[in-house]
Amino acid sequence: MKVLTVGGGGREHAAVEAFHRSGSEIFAVMKNANPGIIKRSKAYKLIDEKNIKEVCDFAKKNCVEIAFIGPEAPLEVGLADALESIGIKCASPTKNAARIETSKTFMRELLEKYKINGNLGFASFDNAKDTENYIKGVKYDIVVKPVGLTGGKGVKVQGEHLHSFDDIMQYVNEIFDNNIGGAGVIIEEKAVGEEYTQMVFCDGSSITAMPLVQDHKRAYEGDVGPNTGGMGSYTDADHLLPFVTENESKISLNIIQQIVDALRKEGCTYRGPMYGQFMLTINGPKLIEINARFGDPEAMNVLPILETSFTDVCEAMASGTLKKNVKFSKKATVCKYVVPEGYGVRSKAGLPISVDEEDIKKCGATVFYANVDIVDNKLVTGTSRSVGVVGMGESIEEAESNCENALKYVNGEAITVRHDIGKRELVQKRVDHMKALRKER
């Protein structure tokens, strides 16, 4: 099958590798020259992924049969709608369905309207004065977010990033003054617990679960520093997580199913992968956000262990015929992102980076290229995450060890890694935290 892939990051490289294993012919569009995607592509074009006309022209020229859109920005401008209008099926949501991510207010109000469990207290505003008045009267600790897209970096939490009322208002004013996210501010109730990701495949009515993943947003070891798009993540061999029970996973899936049902009732049927970010609290799973796509880095954990043909899964999502028997290997995975120094604040970009793919493979790991580019025939870093290295094994501990061994074969100037991700001590810290919270129940 001829497949169009959109995007040049680590998530998209993982998808391209899964399509390649499924025997598809890959035609890729991306804004950066991702060498992993280029290697697997029959043809590719370097363009702005939001340029609907150029993407559609490329798809028509190559007679692609199905499209997969990785990043959120082209979803927001309606690329899936445009491709479907010229007869190309999409395993990605339409502009209206993608509002479940592109508008945090839409997501919260949908949960409220349909009385879906897992919602948090919230209020959204289009000016700083009304936001200030609300914050003065709110009874719980809060999280401040731009309503629109910020690449996973716009969230600031009271008690972690914001330590006073002045800190809160300074950030609120920054959002409005700089039009961050482009759609105002949403104030949400702060949920306390442990975060985890539940991703699903969705065909408009039914969903099929992927293994649970835990991402690590903070830039530095020990869970400190600025928020990032995600420094790394891990899965367990049983597809749960050491601090999440099977029942809690089922509750999360039920919340996602209700959201899919609600979107269909609203006239914006959702087809494609969906990402639910949850906080496991003493009152059960609470929804932090929904993303209208795979998570990044989470896609790099789950797609390498997908045993079912990814092409078949995408065709089933696009055509509304998804079956429940999607299979994943019973393997644990640990992903650690190699990033430019300063990532999360001011990245040292444009510097050479080298990757020895064969030696990484010998370590029981795989590599996915992300925000890198080819300049003068040399691989260089961008301003965001550079290379994801994923170790696999029978346990988290083995997967983490394989990942660490493989990281020795990624070298460059001014790069760094959060080495604590997947380490026994950090995983146990999560388990102990949830045990302590459950005792308070």
Side-chain angles (χ1 to χ4, degrees):
M1 180 173 285
K2 292 185 174 184
V3 175
L4 172 73
T5 65
V6 179
R11 164 184 52 219
E12 290 78 37
H13 184 194
V16 163
E17 291 292 341
F19 279 126
H20 176 73
R21 293 198 310 272
S22 301
S24 288
E25 280 187 299
I26 295 154
F27 299 85
V29 293
M30 51 192 158
K31 58 188 176 186
N32 58 300
N34 184 311
I37 295 174
I38 290 170
K39 178 181 178 181
R40 298 303 191 195
S41 298
K42 180 143 189 182
Y44 70 93
K45 190 169 186 179
L46 301 180
I47 55 174
D48 183 345
E49 298 146 1
K50 296 183 290 184
N51 188 325
I52 289 176
K53 183 180 185 305
E54 285 203 53
V55 175
C56 287
D57 287 348
F58 178 81
K60 283 193 293 185
K61 175 184 174 183
N62 290 289
C63 302
V64 302
E65 300 161 83
I66 191 168
F68 169 83
I69 303 165
E72 60 272 32
L75 296 173
E76 185 179 33
V77 299
L79 179 58
D81 308 65
L83 288 165
E84 288 182 349
S85 74
I86 59 172
I88 298 170
K89 294 186 292 186
C90 287
S92 300
T94 62
K95 180 178 180 177
N96 273 345
R99 285 180 297 161
I100 199 68
E101 172 175 9
T102 61
S103 172
K104 297 176 184 71
T105 302
F106 173 79
M107 186 273 283
R108 290 289 173 203
E109 289 178 346
L110 188 80
L111 267 66
E112 186 175 64
K113 178 178 178 179
Y114 287 90
K115 297 180 173 56
I116 298 172
N117 290 331
N119 207 2
L120 295 166
F122 73 97
S124 56
F125 303 94
D126 61 7
N127 66 86
K129 187 61 181 174
D130 287 345
T131 311
E132 181 178 4
N133 290 336
Y134 175 79
I135 291 169
K136 285 178 177 176
V138 77
K139 303 298 184 187
Y140 41 71
D141 284 351
I142 62 171
V143 177
V144 182
K145 302 179 181 179
V147 168
L149 297 175
T150 59
K153 304 176 190 70
V155 177
K156 292 200 176 182
V157 181
Q158 186 175 356
E160 295 179 28
H161 312 97
L162 309 170
H163 300 285
S164 67
F165 179 78
D166 287 345
D167 286 349
I168 293 170
M169 287 312 304
Q170 182 178 338
Y171 185 50
V172 167
N173 284 312
E174 181 185 339
I175 292 170
F176 283 113
D177 291 346
N178 298 306
N179 198 32
I180 299 172
V185 163
I186 185 167
I187 306 298
E188 295 181 353
E189 175 186 358
K190 177 183 175 181
V192 177
E194 284 295 332
E195 282 194 61
Y196 63 95
T197 301
Q198 175 66 76
M199 293 186 292
V200 300
F201 297 117
C202 178
D203 71 353
S205 56
S206 61
I207 62 172
T208 295
M210 302 183 217
L212 292 182
V213 191
Q214 186 172 50
D215 184 19
H216 298 69
K217 291 288 189 187
R218 303 299 280 271
Y220 312 135
E221 293 187 9
D223 293 322
V224 297
N227 271 350
T228 71
M231 294 295 294
S233 44
Y234 67 92
T235 66
D236 208 347
D238 64 359
H239 300 167
L240 295 171
L241 288 168
F243 57 87
V244 180
T245 67
E246 187 172 354
N247 185 58
E248 288 160 345
S249 175
K250 286 178 180 177
I251 291 170
S252 309
L253 288 168
N254 186 51
I255 290 169
I256 294 175
Q257 181 66 66
Q258 290 180 71
I259 290 169
V260 170
D261 294 341
L263 286 169
R264 190 174 64 254
K265 290 171 185 173
E266 290 290 306
C268 43
T269 299
Y270 188 102
R271 294 189 179 95
M274 181 185 280
Y275 162 130
Q277 188 75 30
F278 289 90
M279 183 75 79
L280 183 56
T281 74
I282 57 173
N283 297 311
K286 299 293 181 182
L287 190 64
I288 303 299
E289 64 179 1
I290 289 283
N291 287 346
R293 53 188 166 85
F294 280 108
D296 185 343
E298 292 95 333
M300 294 185 284
N301 294 94
V302 302
L303 286 174
I305 60 171
L306 176 64
E307 294 183 349
T308 306
S309 161
F310 186 51
T311 303
D312 289 350
V313 171
C314 286
E315 188 176 22
M317 287 193 290
S319 59
T321 58
L322 189 64
K323 301 281 194 299
K324 291 290 185 184
N325 59 346
V326 176
K327 293 183 179 178
F328 293 86
S329 301
K330 293 289 188 179
K331 297 280 188 182
T333 67
V334 172
C335 174
K336 302 187 189 190
Y337 249 130
V338 178
V339 305
E341 284 184 9
Y343 173 59
V345 181
R346 186 183 295 274
S347 298
K348 295 180 181 179
L351 298 172
I353 187 170
S354 65
V355 179
D356 188 330
E357 295 181 26
E358 288 305 311
D359 278 334
I360 287 172
K361 189 175 181 180
K362 290 174 186 174
C363 293
T366 189
V367 63
F368 297 109
Y369 296 93
N371 187 226
V372 293
D373 213 337
I374 300 171
V375 178
D376 297 329
N377 293 317
K378 292 181 181 177
L379 190 66
V380 299
T381 58
T383 57
S384 190
R385 299 165 294 179
S386 304
V387 175
V389 175
V390 182
M392 284 167 272
E394 301 300 318
S395 64
I396 297 172
E397 190 172 357
E398 182 183 350
E400 191 277 330
S401 176
N402 290 344
C403 180
E404 275 295 316
N405 289 332
L407 282 166
K408 299 170 188 172
Y409 301 104
V410 180
N411 295 286
E413 297 180 39
I415 56 174
T416 188
V417 178
R418 256 196 76 170
H419 289 286
D420 63 344
I421 293 168
K423 295 279 190 191
R424 178 183 290 179
E425 297 79 12
L426 189 57
V427 174
Q428 190 60 45
K429 180 182 173 183
R430 309 291 199 230
V431 173
D432 292 344
H433 184 210
M434 282 314 305
K435 281 183 180 176
L437 288 176
R438 286 182 170 118
K439 285 180 182 176
E440 296 174 14
R441 184 180 294 172

